[in-house]
Amino acid sequence: MKNDVLEYIGLDINKLSKIKENPIHFSGYNNPKTYKVYDYISVHDLEILITPLDRTAELKERYKMAKPLSEYLKTEDRKIHNIFLDVLDSASVSEIKKLEKLQEKFTQNLPYFIRYDKNYLWQIYYSEEDKKYFMLFPANEGETSVLFYIIKKKLEKEDTKIFVPISKKDYNEILLSSSEINDIENYIWLFTNEWPNIYEVCKEKLYITGKTKVKGIFETNYRNVYSTKESAKRLYTFLKALFILTTETNYKYTFTPTINDLGELELNYENKIVNLDNLSEFIDEQTEFKKIKEIELEQEIEKNEKKIKELKEYVKKQNEVYVMQEKQIAMFMQCKKSFFKKISYYFKSKKFVTPNIEEINIVDKCKDIEVETSGSYTIKELVNTTIKVTNIENKARDLRADIKSLELKKENLSRKIKNASEYIAEIEEHKKSIFEFWKFTNKDNILSLDVGDSIPNKIKLTFDMKQDLEIIGAKADAAQRQKLSINECEAVYIAKEYLEIINNIGEDNILEKNLNNLKKQMKNNSLDYLLDDYSKTKTLNNREHRESTREAIRILKINSATTLDEFKERLKYYKKLLSEAYNKITAITDLVVYIEKYNKKEEYVIGNIDPEKIFEKTDKDIEIHKINLKESSHLLYISNIVLFENNNQTLPLGMDTSTEVLLKNPKIENVKEENLKILVKDDEFNCHIRNIKIIE
């Protein structure tokens, strides 16, 4: 028995008059709300039940087998009493003190995101039948100090209030109804692709917390707090409006998450924040924009319908001319089959003249666009206008496709008519003399009239890191294994690990500092390298191999006697190899590479396909350059073959340990800058905003 715990909490098992437990009635087993309601509750108002089951068991079974604390203490049944003694043995005075300090902090501040570490230990419920709180403590729980903390506070004269989650308790609906809160969860999921946590705190506040990704890249926390019915209702109306606008227009409007200076979730449409204050203005602007778009499209449709009509008429005339040419040529081809037909064609056929077709000339005349504005529109009007414009856009797109098809047909027919005209003209040219005509008709001419343009339709791949990294990484690694020598792979590795010395070979002080560091590493790591077992199986992204990582000390042949001049010469050799390797490798597809702000005088720069990797390297505000590389742009991938040897030929293909690439003299135009904010958690009570500037 742990007497130190009993002594600390002031519990004398032989004197139990101070602890009295009353029967509790509870039927809220199926309520789905777990850890959604947080409040300060009085310890003196909290009944304690102990169940022999652990908290993973069904709630109904745990409650069914639970007994009041007093029964565990007063019972003569040794088996039941021993359960309490086992719980006591798992308790700790130090852990009880930690709980006390934590709850003391809660009297001053709430946890920033409400839920706090190990809040599940409390296992506190509310009986609607008895209007009472009770703790359903699982005796099989590994951490039992929370029970003795409650007992200690119940034994004290002064009442203590504790901040805890209350499981299976419905929202009190002071600010919003349960159905409205459930709707908000669905709305936020649509915009963030993550489920939010919505907590009712101290009966009069709603905390909405969660995680999302800004720009679809950088993960951030957020927290929005609402303490009045008006503000909560406005939020509900706002999110419902954007939800309707998004879904009813078939995602013609999409709103992306962003974070403001307070760490609150906001929604962005085309780089403009849409919030509670400017929603009406946004609806008006978008409705008027759509109405103007509608008129523009209708004018375009009217113009294109006329153009299609004239193109069809023109193509019809072309067909008629071409049919006439085909008949003329067919007649000539028939005459070549016999002597008499040749003579007949020469004397009887009249000269064929290709009719001229007047070229069409469509003048685009656009009327001035005037839109009658009411000054105030509803979501329904914007949705209806958007749907109408979408239908008109579809019609306009179909007409553009029809025009393109007719123009191609017109061009092909023009080529055919031209070819046929030239052939007929050649026939007529040889009819000036019977002997010349006879000679011409005996030639084996292959006529080719159906000449048209072939239109290449190459689909350009674009890189999606989350979906395609495995495929792209394997292709990049395969290309580098095929095109780069072992020494060139070693050069890329040296550049990745020691970019400073590669960029500053002429700086002796920098080289000397790095050489001394390598010599120190040599002393510490030489035995590890010698003992490296090539037969030992290792894993790389769940794939087995038997290869060792590359070693700069071995590659650069560093030993205690290596001089600065020798070091410099080896670096020059590998830098030359690096340049040769760089010219051999190109991007597998169009690629976006991110680089942390750097000195632009540097020749080589390490970039990253995944900007979050740059973000994770520091906890400070950062600037990231965004570079759009075209397919076939030169770069080097830090793929598996760069980081590992492949002596056993067991190295998996891919970029399994790095998403980095090496660029040479990258061009950064600084055309556009974008500032992002990320809310970072420091501890249970504090967060801070990190700023990310993306420059491209």
Side-chain angles (χ1 to χ4, degrees):
M1 182 186 298
K2 279 202 173 182
N3 292 319
D4 62 330
V5 172
L6 294 176
E7 182 180 349
Y8 181 73
I9 67 174
L11 176 63
D12 185 344
I13 295 180
N14 298 317
K15 298 178 181 179
L16 302 172
S17 58
K18 289 186 178 180
I19 298 180
K20 295 180 180 179
E21 306 294 341
N22 299 309
I24 294 290
H25 302 90
F26 180 69
S27 59
Y29 311 111
N30 297 322
N31 191 330
K33 294 182 177 61
T34 303
Y35 311 136
K36 293 295 186 181
V37 176
Y38 282 72
D39 205 350
Y40 289 100
I41 64 172
S42 168
V43 170
H44 287 175
D45 293 337
L46 182 64
E47 305 287 343
I48 300 176
L49 302 180
I50 297 180
T51 178
L53 303 177
D54 61 41
R55 60 186 172 83
T56 61
E58 289 290 333
L59 176 57
K60 193 169 185 177
E61 291 301 312
R62 281 188 280 151
Y63 175 75
K64 182 179 178 182
M65 298 184 68
K67 299 179 185 297
L69 171 63
S70 54
E71 288 193 28
Y72 279 86
L73 298 177
K74 295 176 182 178
T75 182
E76 294 182 359
D77 187 328
R78 298 305 302 171
K79 184 177 180 181
I80 294 176
H81 186 66
N82 285 339
I83 291 175
F84 175 78
L85 296 180
D86 289 341
V87 171
L88 176 61
D89 285 339
S90 299
S92 160
V93 172
S94 62
E95 290 299 320
I96 296 172
K97 288 181 177 179
K98 284 181 184 178
L99 290 168
E100 287 181 303
K101 288 181 179 179
L102 182 64
Q103 287 295 335
E104 284 172 8
K105 289 181 180 179
F106 289 159
T107 61
Q108 304 296 323
N109 293 298
L110 295 177
Y112 194 88
F113 295 108
I114 302 305
R115 178 176 288 189
Y116 53 90
D117 187 35
K118 297 183 179 179
N119 61 353
Y120 59 85
L121 294 176
W122 297 99
Q123 293 294 306
I124 292 174
Y125 298 82
Y126 182 72
S127 167
E128 292 288 348
E129 294 88 341
D130 297 337
K131 306 301 180 188
K132 286 184 177 181
Y133 294 101
F134 66 95
M135 170 183 272
L136 186 59
F137 186 80
N140 280 347
E141 185 64 52
E143 300 180 68
T144 64
S145 297
V146 64
L147 172 65
F148 295 96
Y149 167 79
I150 295 294
I151 294 173
K152 179 178 186 296
K153 295 303 175 184
K154 287 177 75 71
L155 291 172
E156 294 174 352
K157 291 182 179 180
E158 185 178 347
D159 192 11
T160 299
K161 289 194 172 182
I162 56 174
F163 182 74
V164 290
I166 298 132
S167 290
K168 305 294 184 180
K169 188 176 190 299
D170 286 317
Y171 297 119
N172 60 33
E173 302 189 330
I174 292 175
L175 300 184
L176 292 174
S177 68
S178 291
S179 63
E180 287 172 329
I181 293 174
N182 290 337
D183 286 345
I184 287 176
E185 288 180 341
N186 291 323
Y187 299 156
I188 292 178
W189 180 89
L190 176 71
F191 302 126
T192 66
N193 204 29
E194 295 280 354
W195 288 109
N197 294 309
I198 302 182
Y199 304 117
E200 177 192 282
V201 181
C202 301
K203 299 182 177 63
E204 295 182 351
K205 286 186 178 181
L206 282 180
Y207 280 69
I208 302 177
T209 72
K211 292 181 182 291
T212 187
K213 287 199 171 182
V214 177
K215 298 291 289 183
I217 299 172
F218 301 100
E219 186 174 80
T220 177
N221 296 289
Y222 65 84
R223 185 190 78 166
N224 295 44
V225 183
Y226 302 91
S227 56
T228 66
K229 192 178 186 73
E230 179 187 5
S231 63
K233 283 288 186 183
R234 288 184 70 210
L235 169 73
Y236 174 75
T237 304
F238 167 71
L239 291 176
K240 184 176 182 178
L242 297 193
F243 179 85
I244 291 171
L245 187 54
T246 301
T247 54
E248 293 297 317
T249 62
N250 196 25
Y251 296 85
K252 289 297 179 183
Y253 283 92
T254 56
F255 300 90
T256 56
T258 186
I259 301 297
N260 66 18
D261 291 331
L262 300 175
E264 296 172 328
L265 177 69
E266 291 189 331
L267 295 173
N268 182 303
Y269 178 75
E270 294 183 349
N271 296 321
K272 180 181 179 180
I273 298 297
V274 182
N275 54 33
L276 292 163
D277 297 323
N278 65 13
L279 179 60
S280 295
E281 179 185 344
F282 173 79
I283 293 170
D284 290 346
E285 286 178 354
Q286 290 299 312
T287 305
E288 290 174 8
F289 170 77
K290 291 295 183 184
K291 287 180 177 290
I292 293 172
K293 184 71 174 176
E294 178 185 345
I295 296 172
E296 288 176 343
L297 288 168
E298 286 175 342
Q299 288 187 358
E300 180 192 339
I301 287 170
E302 183 181 357
K303 176 195 73 176
N304 285 345
E305 284 178 336
K306 182 180 178 182
K307 188 172 184 177
I308 287 172
K309 183 178 179 182
E310 297 193 17
L311 277 170
K312 284 181 176 178
E313 187 63 32
Y314 189 88
V315 168
K316 180 182 177 184
K317 290 177 181 178
Q318 283 182 307
N319 269 318
E320 291 171 352
V321 169
Y322 186 62
V323 168
M324 293 168 63
Q325 289 177 319
E326 281 185 317
K327 287 180 179 178
Q328 183 69 17
I329 293 170
M331 186 169 61
F332 170 74
M333 299 301 289
Q334 282 293 322
C335 87
K336 292 175 64 177
K337 294 181 179 180
S338 71
F339 170 79
F340 294 106
K341 287 183 178 180
K342 291 178 185 178
I343 297 298
S344 175
Y345 181 86
Y346 179 80
F347 287 106
K348 290 184 179 180
S349 68
K350 297 180 181 179
K351 183 177 181 180
F352 180 83
V353 179
T354 301
N356 289 325
I357 306 173
E358 186 177 349
E359 190 68 38
I360 58 175
N361 183 23
I362 300 173
V363 180
D364 295 343
K365 291 183 179 180
C366 295
K367 302 173 185 176
D368 293 334
I369 297 176
E370 295 182 4
V371 178
E372 293 185 8
T373 59
S374 66
S376 181
Y377 297 94
T378 64
I379 283 287
K380 184 178 180 180
E381 288 175 303
L382 177 53
V383 168
N384 290 339
T385 304
T386 302
I387 292 172
K388 186 177 180 181
V389 168
T390 300
N391 292 333
I392 297 173
E393 279 178 335
N394 292 337
K395 183 177 180 181
R397 185 172 59 250
D398 291 342
L399 290 175
R400 290 185 209 117
D402 290 344
I403 288 173
K404 189 173 182 180
S405 175
L406 284 167
E407 286 177 338
L408 181 60
K409 192 171 184 180
K410 172 177 171 287
E411 180 65 24
N412 284 339
L413 280 168
S414 294
R415 289 176 181 271
K416 290 180 180 180
I417 290 170
K418 181 184 177 185
N419 290 342
S421 297
E422 289 175 354
Y423 191 77
I424 292 170
E426 188 177 3
I427 295 171
E428 295 298 328
E429 181 68 23
H430 288 86
K431 284 180 69 179
K432 293 178 180 179
S433 161
I434 184 66
F435 299 106
E436 184 69 24
F437 182 72
W438 184 266
K439 184 179 177 182
F440 176 68
T441 55
N442 285 330
K443 285 183 180 180
D444 187 15
N445 291 309
I446 299 175
L447 188 64
S448 179
L449 300 181
D450 295 335
V451 179
D453 286 340
S454 63
I455 301 176
N457 187 25
K458 184 179 179 182
I459 299 174
K460 197 77 166 177
L461 295 174
T462 54
F463 179 73
D464 184 308
M465 185 188 65
K466 298 302 181 187
Q467 297 180 9
D468 301 334
L469 181 57
E470 187 173 344
I471 297 171
I472 299 296
K475 288 184 177 180
D477 198 31
Q480 295 193 153
R481 295 186 193 197
Q482 179 185 4
K483 297 179 181 180
L484 301 184
S485 67
I486 293 175
N487 287 347
E488 285 171 334
C489 289
E490 290 176 337
V492 181
Y493 173 79
I494 294 298
K496 182 257 188 293
E497 292 295 317
Y498 296 94
L499 193 62
E500 181 186 36
I501 59 177
I502 288 294
N503 282 327
N504 297 279
I505 287 180
E507 301 289 334
D508 286 355
N509 58 331
I510 294 176
L511 297 191
E512 189 169 12
K513 180 185 72 174
N514 281 276
L515 176 58
N516 291 333
N517 288 337
L518 284 167
K519 287 181 177 180
K520 289 178 183 177
Q521 289 179 32
M522 178 197 66
K523 292 179 181 178
N524 296 331
N525 301 339
S526 57
L527 286 177
D528 292 338
Y529 181 74
L530 290 171
L531 293 172
D532 192 5
D533 186 356
Y534 282 89
S535 65
K536 184 179 179 181
T537 300
K538 305 153 191 172
T539 59
L540 196 61
N541 194 20
N542 296 321
R543 293 176 292 174
E544 293 185 347
H545 71 95
R546 292 179 286 107
E547 309 299 340
S548 297
T549 56
R550 295 194 186 276
E551 286 280 341
I553 294 168
R554 183 190 62 79
I555 293 169
L556 295 172
K557 300 177 182 177
I558 303 297
N559 58 53
S560 58
T562 303
T563 66
L564 182 60
D565 287 339
E566 289 173 335
F567 186 51
K568 186 183 295 187
E569 286 304 311
R570 288 168 194 166
L571 288 174
K572 287 180 179 178
Y573 168 72
Y574 277 109
K575 186 167 184 179
K576 180 176 177 292
L577 289 178
L578 180 66
S579 181
E580 293 171 1
Y582 192 85
N583 291 327
K584 291 180 181 179
I585 305 299
T586 56
I588 301 298
T589 183
D590 289 356
L591 197 63
V592 178
V593 175
Y594 299 87
I595 302 172
E596 192 174 359
K597 187 178 180 181
Y598 72 104
N599 182 353
K600 294 182 181 179
K601 293 180 181 179
E602 295 174 357
E603 184 178 2
Y604 288 96
V605 176
I606 294 288
N608 212 307
I609 298 169
D610 183 356
E612 266 202 317
K613 301 297 183 186
I614 301 174
F615 179 74
E616 291 168 357
K617 287 196 303 183
T618 176
D619 58 358
K620 299 177 181 177
D621 295 348
I622 57 172
E623 289 186 6
I624 298 176
H625 296 284
K626 179 181 177 183
I627 300 176
N628 297 299
L629 293 181
K630 295 294 183 183
E631 183 180 344
S632 77
S633 299
H634 285 284
L635 82 166
L636 287 163
Y637 296 91
I638 310 302
S639 65
N640 292 354
I641 195 61
V642 169
L643 300 174
F644 295 86
E645 298 173 350
N646 195 22
N647 296 324
N648 294 317
Q649 298 295 307
T650 62
L651 185 66
L653 282 171
M655 296 178 68
D656 295 309
T657 62
S658 172
T659 53
E660 292 176 316
V661 296
L662 188 69
L663 299 178
K664 186 176 182 179
N665 299 319
K667 293 181 180 179
I668 299 174
E669 299 177 356
N670 293 356
V671 174
K672 185 175 70 173
E673 293 185 1
E674 187 172 7
N675 293 300
L676 309 176
K677 297 182 185 300
I678 307 294
L679 182 64
V680 180
K681 182 179 178 181
D682 299 323
D683 54 39
E684 297 285 4
F685 301 94
N686 299 290
C687 288
H688 72 276
I689 294 288
R690 280 186 64 187
N691 296 291
I692 303 173
K693 180 185 284 186
I694 296 183
I695 305 169
E696 61 177 307

